[in-house]
Amino acid sequence: MFNKRLLYIIVLMLLGGAMSAQAQLSLSLDECIRIALNENPTIKVKEMEITRVDYSRKEVLGQLLPSINLAGQYQRNLSLQTMYMDTDAGTMAIKMGSDNTHAAGFQASIPLVVPQLWKSIKLNENQILQNVEAARANKLSLVNQVEKTYYALMLAQDSKRVIEENHATAKLNAEIFQKKFELGAASEYDVLRANVAVSNLEPAIMEAENSITALTLQLKVLMGMDVRTDIAPSQQLSDFRGEMYERVMSNTLGSDTTLANNTSLKAMDLQTDYLKKVLDVQKMAWYPTLTGSASLMWHSMNNGSPFTGLRWSRASNVGLAIAFPIFQGGQRYYKQKQAEIAVEEMKWQRENLERSLHMQVATQNDAIAKNLKQIESNEDGVHMAEKANDIMQKSFKIGAASFIQLRDTEDALMAARLAYYQAIYNYLVAESDLEYVLGNTHYVRN
C-alpha cells in the first residue's frame, strides 16, 4: 500500500506540465522504486499480457462446451433431377424435387472424448505461469536498474560536490596569490600556478553536471515520469554507510543464498514443464476422438415463387462420430520425437545456466566483501588526508610549506573522498546485482 507522501508524489507526477514550473521533487530510493513499479509502461504491458493469456485459457476451455448454431439455407433448382423407370408401357421419365428448397433450424455438437484438447488446457495454464514469472522478472530488472541509476546519480552529485569544494579552495588560493602579487609578496609563477589549478578542475565539474543531467533523465524514464518534472535524490551515498553491515547480514551472510528464487531458473523450469506438456499432447494424437451431435431442422419445398406455398416439416436427429487415427505419414511419430529432444535440450541448458548463476553469486559476494574492506580503508584514508590537509594549511599560513605542497594535500583529500564515495557505490551496485540474481528483493513478491 502506498503511503500518503507517495500518493501525493504520483499525483504531482501525473500533472506533468504543471509541475515543470513548480518546486523540485526530492525522492528517496524507496519512493523511486515504488513509483517505477506503479508507473513504468513495461510493467503495465507485462501485467496486461497475463490477462490476455488468461482469456486464451478460457477460450480453450470453451472448446469443451457444446457448440450451438442457428443455420439456414435456401436452394433454387434451375433444372430438376430426372429419374427413369421401366414399365410395361415403356420407359417413364419422372422429375424429382421442387423449384425451391428451404431449411432452417439448430445444429449442435459437443466433444466427448478429445485427449489432445484436454492436454492443451494444461498448456494454457502453464503459459499463464510463464507470463506471471516474466512479469516478476521484469519487475526485478526494473528495481535493479532504478537502484543502480539512483546510486550513480548520488555518486555524480557527491563527486560534483567534492570537486566543487576543491575548486572553491583553489579559487580562493588564486585570489589570495593575485593580491599578494599585486603587493609584491608573491611571484607571477605562483599566480599562474594557482589559476591553472582552478582551470584544471572546471572540466571535471562540467562532466559531473552532464552525468547528473543524463542520469536524472534516465531515472525519470525508468519511473514512467514526465521528463519536464524536476526531481533530485533526497539521499547521499554516505546515508547508506551505517546500514551496510546490517544489510550484508540480512541480505547475504544471514539469508538463503540459493537460487530458489532466481527468475531465469524459474522461467526455464516452467518452459521445461511446458515442453513436457507439449510432449503429452503429441502422445494424445494416437488416441481416438468421440464427438456427439444433434440437430433440429425445418424443411420446406415448393414450386414457383420462393415466398408462397411454403409447407414446413420438422426433422431432428442425434448422433455420435468416432475417429481412430491410423496413418498420417509418420507425422505424429516425428512430432513426438521432436518434443522429446526439446525436453532433453532444456535439461542441459538448465545445468549450464545454474553453473553460470552460481558463479555470479560467488562473484558478487566476493565483490561485496572486498568493497566493504575498501570502504573501511578509504574511510581511514579520508581521515588521514583531512588531517594532513589541516597540518599543511597551518604550515602554509606561517610560510613553512610551499603552494605546491598545499595543492598536493588538497588534491590528495579530493581523491580520497572521491575514492571513498566510489567504494560505497561499488558496494551498493554489487549488492543490488546480487539481489537481482537471487530474486530476493523485498519490492517484488516471489
Side-chain angles (χ1 to χ4, degrees), residues 188-242:
E188 185 179 3
Y189 173 79
D190 291 331
V191 175
L192 292 173
R193 176 82 182 185
N195 287 328
V196 168
V198 174
S199 300
N200 287 342
L201 291 171
E202 290 173 354
I205 295 176
M206 292 179 61
E207 184 178 352
E209 289 175 347
N210 292 336
S211 296
I212 291 172
T213 301
L215 290 167
T216 301
L217 182 59
Q218 182 179 347
L219 186 60
K220 291 177 187 177
V221 172
L222 291 172
M223 293 166 61
M225 180 178 286
D226 192 303
V227 294
R228 295 170 295 178
T229 305
D230 189 14
I231 66 171
S234 63
Q235 297 170 284
Q236 296 180 348
L237 286 172
S238 56
D239 297 336
F240 293 87
R241 178 66 180 95

Side-chain angles (χ1 to χ4, degrees), residues 292-345:
S293 62
S295 67
L296 176 60
M297 302 293 293
W298 283 265
H299 300 272
S300 176
M301 302 174 66
N302 69 313
N303 293 316
S305 171
F307 305 107
T308 60
L310 299 178
R311 298 184 300 273
W312 292 97
S313 60
R314 187 179 69 181
S316 60
N317 64 72
V318 295
L320 294 172
I322 189 169
F324 291 90
I326 297 177
F327 181 71
Q328 295 179 354
Q331 297 180 47
R332 290 170 297 173
Y333 174 79
Y334 292 118
K335 284 182 179 180
Q336 181 175 328
K337 287 299 180 183
Q338 291 177 55
E340 290 173 352
I341 292 175
V343 171
E344 189 67 18
E345 287 175 348

Side-chain angles (χ1 to χ4, degrees), residues 22-313:
Q22 294 184 12
Q24 185 182 71
L25 276 178
S26 183
L27 301 175
S28 67
L29 174 60
D30 183 76
E31 289 168 340
C32 288
I33 291 175
R34 295 190 185 281
I35 291 173
L37 291 175
N38 188 65
E39 297 297 326
N40 186 277
T42 306
I43 299 298
K44 293 183 178 181
V45 169
K46 289 295 182 181
E47 291 176 348
M48 292 174 66
E49 188 66 14
I50 295 173
T51 304
R52 185 192 67 79
V53 176
D54 185 51
Y55 285 141
S56 176
R57 180 183 65 85
K58 293 177 180 178
E59 176 191 356
V60 175
L61 288 173
Q63 297 179 36
L64 297 175
L65 301 177
S67 174
I68 303 175
N69 297 308
L70 175 62
Q73 182 182 10
Y74 167 74
Q75 180 177 325
R76 176 75 179 188
N77 292 317
L78 300 179
S79 59
L80 299 179
Q81 184 179 358
T82 302
M83 184 178 69
Y84 295 94
M85 296 182 62
D86 293 329
T87 65
D88 293 340
T91 301
M92 295 180 58
I94 303 175
K95 297 287 185 179
M96 301 292 294
S98 302
D99 293 339
N100 305 297
T101 302
H102 302 79
F106 299 94
Q107 296 176 337
S109 64
I110 181 171
L112 299 176
V113 180
V114 279
Q116 272 196 306
L117 181 57
W118 295 340
K119 291 295 182 181
S120 296
I121 294 174
K122 298 294 185 181
L123 290 179
N124 286 86
E125 293 175 352
N126 180 276
Q127 286 179 331
I128 292 176
L129 295 176
Q130 286 192 56
N131 278 275
V132 170
E133 187 57 36
R136 191 178 81 93
N138 209 325
K139 290 179 180 179
L140 288 170
S141 177
L142 180 61
V143 169
N144 179 254
Q145 292 178 63
V146 171
E147 285 181 337
K148 292 200 288 189
T149 303
Y150 194 91
Y151 296 150
L153 181 54
M154 288 191 298
L155 176 62
Q157 288 189 331
D158 285 338
S159 298
K160 178 174 178 286
R161 178 175 53 80
V162 170
I163 297 171
E164 283 179 336
E165 289 175 357
N166 190 278
H167 179 266
T169 301
K171 192 172 182 181
L172 179 61
N173 290 334
E175 293 172 354
I176 293 173
F177 273 101
Q178 181 62 38
K179 291 179 180 179
K180 287 184 176 182
F181 175 73
E182 294 172 357
L183 295 174
S187 66
E188 185 179 3
Y189 173 79
D190 291 331
V191 175
L192 292 173
R193 176 82 182 185
N195 287 328
V196 168
V198 174
S199 300
N200 287 342
L201 291 171
E202 290 173 354
I205 295 176
M206 292 179 61
E207 184 178 352
E209 289 175 347
N210 292 336
S211 296
I212 291 172
T213 301
L215 290 167
T216 301
L217 182 59
Q218 182 179 347
L219 186 60
K220 291 177 187 177
V221 172
L222 291 172
M223 293 166 61
M225 180 178 286
D226 192 303
V227 294
R228 295 170 295 178
T229 305
D230 189 14
I231 66 171
S234 63
Q235 297 170 284
Q236 296 180 348
L237 286 172
S238 56
D239 297 336
F240 293 87
R241 178 66 180 95
E243 306 173 8
M244 285 187 177
Y245 289 103
E246 179 182 348
R247 289 158 72 93
V248 168
M249 292 302 296
S250 62
N251 292 338
T252 56
L253 302 179
S255 67
D256 183 13
T257 56
T258 65
L259 298 170
N261 294 322
N262 177 266
T263 186
S264 298
L265 283 180
K266 281 191 171 184
M268 186 166 284
D269 289 341
L270 288 169
Q271 180 66 17
T272 302
D273 184 61
Y274 177 83
L275 292 175
K276 288 180 179 179
K277 288 180 170 57
V278 169
L279 177 58
D280 291 338
V281 170
Q282 297 302 330
K283 290 179 179 179
M284 291 301 103
W286 299 87
Y287 289 77
T289 59
L290 179 65
T291 306
S293 62
S295 67
L296 176 60
M297 302 293 293
W298 283 265
H299 300 272
S300 176
M301 302 174 66
N302 69 313
N303 293 316
S305 171
F307 305 107
T308 60
L310 299 178
R311 298 184 300 273
W312 292 97
S313 60

Side-chain angles (χ1 to χ4, degrees), residues 380-397:
D380 293 337
V382 170
H383 294 322
M384 289 187 291
E386 289 174 343
K387 186 175 181 180
N389 186 61
D390 289 340
I391 294 173
M392 192 58 62
Q393 288 281 359
K394 295 174 182 178
S395 299
F396 181 74
K397 287 180 181 179

